[in-house]
Amino acid sequence: MSFVKELSKGIIKENPIFVIVLGMCPTLAVTSSVQNGIGMGLAATFVLICSNIIISLIKNITPEKIRIPIYITVIAAFVSIVDMAMAAYVPGLHKSLGLFIPLIVVNCIILGRAEAFASKNNMLASLADGIGMGLGFTLSLVVVAAIREILGAGTFAGIAVMPKTYEPMLVAILAPGAFITLGFLMALMNMMKEKK
Amino acid sequence: MGYIGELFVMAMTAIFIQNFVLSRFLGLCPYLGVSKKLDSAFGMGMAVIFVMTLASAFTFLIYKYLLIPYNMIYLQTIAFILTIAALVQFVEMVIQKNAPALYKSLGVYLPLITTNCAVLGVAILNTKAIRTDGITAYNFLDAVLNGFFSGVGFTFVLLAMAGIRERLEFVDMPKSMRGMPIGLILAGIMALAFYGFMGFKI
Amino acid sequence: MKYYIKLSLILLIFCAVASGILAYVNSLTEPVIKDRKAKEEVATRSELIPDADFMEGKMADGTAYFVATSKATGDTLGYTFIAAKTGYSSKVQTMVGVDKNMTVLKIKVIDQAETPGLGANCTQDWFLKQFENRQATDLVVDKDGGTVKSMAGATITTRCIATSIAEQIAMLKVAIGGAE
């Protein structure tokens, strides 16, 4: 059952954003709409899963001293693949995520999981860890994006959900809204933890 | 408007109008992580300015004289990140050997900078940036100065944040708001204030 | 020393393998990207001026424009071109269709990365519609005393689109005048 355990821990108990607080830049930057949030989440998940698998496979042949440059090379290669594939097949999304696709390389979640988990565990566990962490990341992005999009544009994934009379709170979509939304969400998580 | 004027516009844009942290969302991890104390924020800021300036110079040269002529732009991400990682390592070694005092104050922050997305961010933005005339791409000096000014912009808001957070230490607030949540909300209010610079005509 | 050579060799092998894989992926995706861009341009052109054949021409600065001739009669219907200028945070590219008298028929934003919620609204219909039936001289933003209504909080983007079109029309006039 350890496969399921490794998989599920990333979603809630060790959620990369709300609990470990990693990968803040994309979380704030691309969550102005739900579509962007999902796109970013899935792109990062793909990179996370692939790099976790490769790194756990090569852990025996990577010399301790240069492990970080090797991990970075592996991650950067997968990021470039995602970048090119997205430019070719989902150009609209590629355009709106823009700079933040190559920046998946420096997303601390991915290097963090490589160093803390994949380099010490076998392939199957690393795969589960990658899927779990990736889903946790995607889920958090969607939650933040949903709040911002509903408040700031009155829509959810492009579909109008608020009554016509609702005047969109523009600030929620802009940069300040990102910080404030995430701040309150984290406070909420803390509050729930305290109650337990 | 001469070159000096253009540089002034570049500096103002990088520091205020499109601040790396508050409007471009780059370099948030150190911004939230190393802003609890003023002196550590200062150390981090200096290290970032230094590495961003150097990284802008090296990545620009690599982009212009290696990647473009040999038609290998698809290797951009991997080339830039390895350059930055090597650069940080090298700077660390040089400082450690020649300036132990400086190493003591900056050393702990240097390894963190490899994964600071502001550094890779400025390198990628430099390859796409266009001068104020709207046509010419950045030249070497532009790229280096843009790296420098962006680093200054980062340090500027990092110090402001650290200054505020030092005072927040003793404020009575709900336990669940302490630490990261209030830091994020503070950043939001600062970003709101920085929006006042938007649409500034220079 | 030998140890360090071994380390560099290992790192080199990793980089070489990674570059090789990337080169392969690039060779797969590059034609797809190019193909799609070309198809999109053709589709946008016929959306701006329907039922027309297009013929390419070059302006003074090397950018392309297209002469649209009616498929039915062969008469010149108008021209399309791409106007580009730096807006607030990105280069905004608009494809514009004009008739023979240089009156704007229709415009479409084909590339932009402006602030979401502000400048990025420039792709919305109500904004693009107001450019129709304007001469180059009417392309002035309300903030500058004209009649082009700017988007809330995004005067710079609006001004960028209006002036880029006006400038390109002026250039087009020169290019056509020179051809005749």
Side-chain angles (χ1 to χ4, degrees):
Chain A
M1 281 316 279
S2 74
F3 185 85
V4 179
K5 208 184 86 206
E6 300 294 358
L7 205 153
S8 62
K9 72 167 189 240
I11 297 175
I12 298 172
K13 215 175 87 208
E14 290 185 28
N15 184 292
I17 307 242
F18 295 123
V19 183
I20 319 185
V21 196
L22 286 175
M24 303 303 282
C25 303
T27 313
L28 292 165
V30 304
T31 49
S32 55
S33 76
V34 174
Q35 282 116 317
N36 284 0
I38 295 176
M40 183 69 204
L42 293 183
T45 306
F46 173 79
V47 176
L48 189 55
I49 293 173
C50 294
S51 65
N52 257 10
I53 292 176
I54 299 290
I55 286 164
S56 70
L57 285 178
I58 59 167
K59 65 171 183 283
N60 292 330
I61 55 163
T62 35
E64 179 73 14
K65 269 211 154 129
I66 50 163
R67 63 181 197 288
I68 299 288
I70 288 182
Y71 296 164
I72 291 180
T73 313
V74 172
I75 295 169
F78 283 116
V79 170
S80 308
I81 291 174
V82 168
D83 194 1
M84 287 187 269
M86 286 178 82
Y89 300 107
V90 275
L93 190 63
H94 181 260
K95 185 84 209 162
S96 56
L97 295 180
L99 180 64
F100 285 91
I101 299 175
L103 286 184
I104 296 176
V105 173
V106 282
N107 187 325
C108 336
I109 297 175
I110 295 170
L111 192 62
R113 291 325 286 174
E115 170 80 356
F117 196 92
S119 61
K120 298 186 183 80
N121 288 281
N122 64 21
M123 196 203 97
L124 210 59
S126 304
L127 169 70
D129 180 74
I131 298 175
M133 284 287 164
L135 286 183
F137 179 59
T138 312
L139 202 70
S140 327
L141 286 185
V142 171
V143 170
V144 179
I147 295 175
R148 287 180 66 193
E149 201 187 325
I150 290 173
L151 288 180
T155 58
F156 179 82
I159 306 153
V161 285
M162 292 300 247
K164 274 237 165 67
T165 46
Y166 176 73
E167 186 65 36
M169 221 167 84
L170 200 58
V171 74
I173 280 201
L174 302 177
F179 288 109
I180 294 170
T181 309
L182 193 61
F184 277 115
L185 275 176
M186 270 187 185
L188 201 69
M189 288 288 276
N190 285 349
M191 225 161 78
M192 289 198 308
K193 254 194 289 178
E194 267 170 51
K195 283 229 170 96
K196 266 181 197 166
Chain B
M1 189 166 59
Y3 193 59
I4 300 291
E6 217 164 287
L7 288 185
F8 180 72
V9 173
M10 189 199 275
M12 286 300 129
T13 308
I15 298 172
F16 295 109
I17 303 175
Q18 291 203 356
N19 186 278
F20 252 56
V21 179
L22 295 177
S23 115
R24 284 199 198 269
F25 295 111
L26 292 167
L28 286 169
C29 291
Y31 176 65
L32 294 167
V34 207
S35 59
K36 287 202 186 91
K37 285 221 166 64
L38 253 180
D39 50 347
S40 57
F42 186 77
M44 182 66 175
M46 288 305 125
V48 166
I49 293 180
F50 190 58
V51 173
M52 264 171 107
T53 314
L54 273 183
S56 297
F58 278 93
T59 53
F60 184 85
L61 292 177
I62 288 179
Y63 186 74
K64 187 149 189 201
Y65 296 106
L66 269 178
L67 296 184
I68 291 184
Y70 294 102
N71 214 357
M72 297 192 300
I73 296 179
Y74 59 89
L75 286 180
Q76 179 184 308
T77 313
I78 210 166
F80 282 12
I81 189 68
L82 284 176
T83 311
I84 292 169
L87 196 69
V88 169
Q89 196 84 46
F90 184 69
V91 167
E92 200 182 343
M93 287 191 309
V94 169
I95 294 185
Q96 193 173 11
K97 253 199 182 140
N98 300 323
L102 189 65
Y103 182 75
K104 242 186 181 167
S105 57
L106 292 191
V108 280
Y109 306 108
L110 279 170
L112 287 175
I113 292 177
T114 312
T115 52
N116 180 345
C117 53
V119 182
L120 184 59
V122 81
I124 297 175
L125 284 172
N126 273 338
T127 65
K128 295 186 180 145
I130 306 161
R131 297 263 286 269
T132 35
D133 61 3
I135 304 162
T136 24
Y138 270 15
N139 61 28
F140 179 69
L141 191 64
D142 289 331
V144 175
L145 285 172
N146 190 33
F148 175 73
F149 289 136
S150 302
V152 172
F154 173 83
T155 309
F156 177 68
V157 292
L158 183 68
L159 287 177
M161 184 73 164
I164 301 172
R165 277 180 92 170
E166 270 195 346
R167 281 160 191 258
L168 275 180
E169 200 88 330
F170 308 105
V171 173
D172 186 31
M173 65 175 125
K175 207 174 144 216
S176 52
M177 289 296 276
R178 282 178 188 278
M180 207 50 97
I182 194 70
L184 278 163
I185 291 168
L186 255 178
I189 296 169
M190 277 170 84
L192 209 52
F194 268 66
Y195 258 63
F197 294 114
M198 195 172 137
F200 220 41
K201 228 167 47 178
I202 311 179
Chain C
M1 196 61 209
K2 225 177 179 180
Y3 179 62
Y4 285 98
I5 294 173
K6 194 184 145 205
L7 286 189
S8 348
L9 267 180
I10 293 178
L11 196 55
L12 194 72
I13 292 168
F14 269 97
C15 290
V17 171
S19 314
I21 294 172
L22 289 188
Y24 175 68
V25 174
N26 181 59
S27 70
L28 289 182
T29 53
E30 209 180 7
V32 179
I33 296 171
K34 262 196 191 137
D35 195 44
R36 206 202 58 245
K37 271 203 181 131
K39 268 197 192 131
E40 246 166 40
E41 255 194 66
V42 173
T44 316
R45 269 203 293 278
S46 11
E47 195 185 314
L48 295 179
I49 306 181
D51 302 317
D53 289 318
F54 293 94
M55 216 172 60
E56 194 174 343
K58 283 261 181 284
M59 302 210 202
D61 65 346
T63 48
Y65 70 89
F66 288 84
V67 185
T69 48
S70 165
K71 268 187 183 147
T73 59
D75 295 339
T76 304
L77 291 174
Y79 307 91
T80 71
F81 56 83
I82 293 173
K85 211 179 172 103
T86 309
Y88 179 66
S89 57
S90 67
K91 200 169 175 184
V92 182
Q93 291 191 38
T94 336
M95 195 183 273
V96 186
V98 294
D99 68 7
K100 273 189 292 189
N101 308 317
M102 297 294 154
T103 311
V104 175
L105 291 170
K106 202 171 176 182
I107 73 167
K108 197 173 175 190
V109 175
I110 50 175
D111 199 9
Q112 57 87 20
E114 300 286 286
T115 323
L118 299 176
N121 287 342
C122 67
T123 53
Q124 291 181 352
D125 274 344
W126 72 265
F127 175 74
L128 296 176
K129 269 236 151 38
Q130 59 168 337
F131 284 91
E132 294 169 13
N133 298 320
R134 278 176 196 273
Q135 283 279 332
T137 45
D138 302 330
L139 291 168
V140 183
V141 181
D142 49 7
K143 284 264 169 68
D144 304 334
T147 53
V148 175
K149 200 167 167 295
S150 38
M151 294 173 282
T155 313
I156 298 184
T157 312
T158 316
R159 188 184 289 137
C160 141
I161 293 175
T163 33
S164 71
I165 297 174
E167 279 169 14
Q168 206 69 12
I169 287 180
M171 199 126 74
L172 180 64
K173 276 182 185 160
V174 176
I176 299 164
E180 274 165 7

